[in-house]
Amino acid sequence: MAQRALPQSVARLGRAVRTAGAPVEVSGVVLLLPDGETDSRRRPSPLSYAAQLPLARMLARAGCGEGLAVHVVRYRSRGWNPGADPVADARWAADEVQRRYGDIPVCLVGHGMGGRAALRAGGHAAVTSVLAMAPWLPEAAGPEPEPVKHLAGRRVLIVHGTNDARTNPELSYRLAERAKKNNRDTCRFEVHSDGQALRQHRAEVVALAADFVRGSLFAGSYARPVEDAFAAPPPLGLRMPLAAGFGRSLRY
């Protein structure tokens, strides 16, 4: 009889991903929050961690000169579950960053379930910015809508494929619309014809993520499309198309 895998007792930070030649001192941290399942107490799959490493390396390379470190968060279990377990894990991870590195800015970057966790945990005192990619936002999230007021004072970027059959892009638009009312530093990009994994225009998505991370953590300038998205009122700033070639237009 197969035994059910028990969840790990505590969340953990994966090894810091950095690039050769980066300053010794860490000046900013990205916490990558993987996707998961709606309801599961099993240990996270090693594949969910490994799937984040290419993005971790690309972000670390983009922020090499500024002293960026990237950690993938290892959840206690692979499910959201009734207690929103990944949110507690993300908050613990932000606390751990402060313990290890001191008072430095943190950017939460999540995909799918991790995108929802990043948005929920974005009110942590160390968090200055949130990037949610194809965030999982169920139609029936309970009697109250997803909270957004705690995101005030943070830079918030949502990226969603228009052909996503797993996570409804219209729901992320509605959340962004509500968040924009309390926080003008909220924008959302639509990746036309792309699905939940955002593979079709991967180069553009990664370039957008890198530009956002560098600008929000290190007070640098954003690429023109990102600046325009933050400045534009709804619905323009929430339905910005991610143009093909965006990735090729940036140099790090």
Side-chain angles (χ1 to χ4, degrees):
M1 179 177 178
Q3 293 183 343
R4 182 180 181 184
L6 297 176
Q8 59 191 44
S9 58
V10 294
R12 293 183 292 135
L13 288 186
R15 180 180 300 177
V17 178
R18 306 201 71 197
T19 302
V24 174
E25 183 177 357
V26 174
S27 301
V29 169
V30 167
L31 292 175
L32 289 180
L33 305 176
D35 199 358
E37 301 177 13
T38 304
D39 188 12
S40 175
R41 299 290 181 182
R42 298 178 64 194
R43 292 188 181 96
S45 165
L47 295 177
S48 67
Y49 174 83
Q52 298 300 312
L53 292 178
L55 177 59
R57 296 186 187 106
M58 292 174 187
L59 293 178
R61 186 163 58 248
C64 173
E66 289 91 348
L68 177 66
V70 183
H71 290 272
V72 182
V73 178
R74 294 177 178 263
Y75 302 135
R76 290 167 293 162
S77 61
R78 66 178 66 183
W80 180 266
N81 303 323
D85 293 347
V87 179
D89 294 345
R91 289 171 178 155
W92 170 87
D95 286 338
E96 180 65 9
V97 165
Q98 292 186 304
R99 187 189 72 79
R100 292 190 190 186
Y101 301 113
D103 186 19
I104 62 173
V106 174
C107 178
L108 299 179
V109 179
H111 183 261
M113 184 185 77
R116 186 183 183 192
L119 290 165
R120 282 277 192 103
H124 190 283
V127 174
T128 61
S129 52
V130 175
L131 169 55
M133 297 184 288
W136 167 64
L137 299 168
E139 293 277 358
E144 299 293 331
E146 284 289 302
V148 295
K149 291 184 178 180
H150 64 286
L151 294 172
R154 281 78 178 164
R155 288 280 172 123
V156 180
L157 170 62
I158 298 173
V159 184
H160 218 141
T162 58
N163 288 0
D164 191 335
R166 181 181 173 193
T167 58
N168 188 346
E170 188 60 29
L171 296 180
S172 73
Y173 172 80
R174 295 177 197 168
L175 182 139
E177 191 175 35
R178 289 192 296 111
K180 188 82 168 177
K181 293 177 181 178
N182 295 288
N183 178 18
R184 62 176 296 177
D185 291 330
T186 300
C187 67
R188 176 179 173 275
F189 277 79
E190 293 186 335
V191 191
H192 289 290
S193 75
D194 219 334
Q196 203 269 340
L198 297 170
R199 291 195 185 100
Q200 185 172 336
H201 300 287
R202 187 66 176 173
E204 286 77 15
V205 171
V206 170
L208 177 68
D211 184 74
F212 175 75
V213 165
R214 292 183 69 212
S216 59
L217 285 182
F218 306 115
S221 60
Y222 295 105
R224 182 64 181 271
V226 181
E227 286 282 7
D228 290 347
F230 278 126
L236 295 177
L238 304 179
R239 293 198 186 276
M240 294 290 290
L242 184 61
F246 183 89
R248 293 186 292 277
S249 69
L250 299 181
R251 295 293 182 267
Y252 300 114

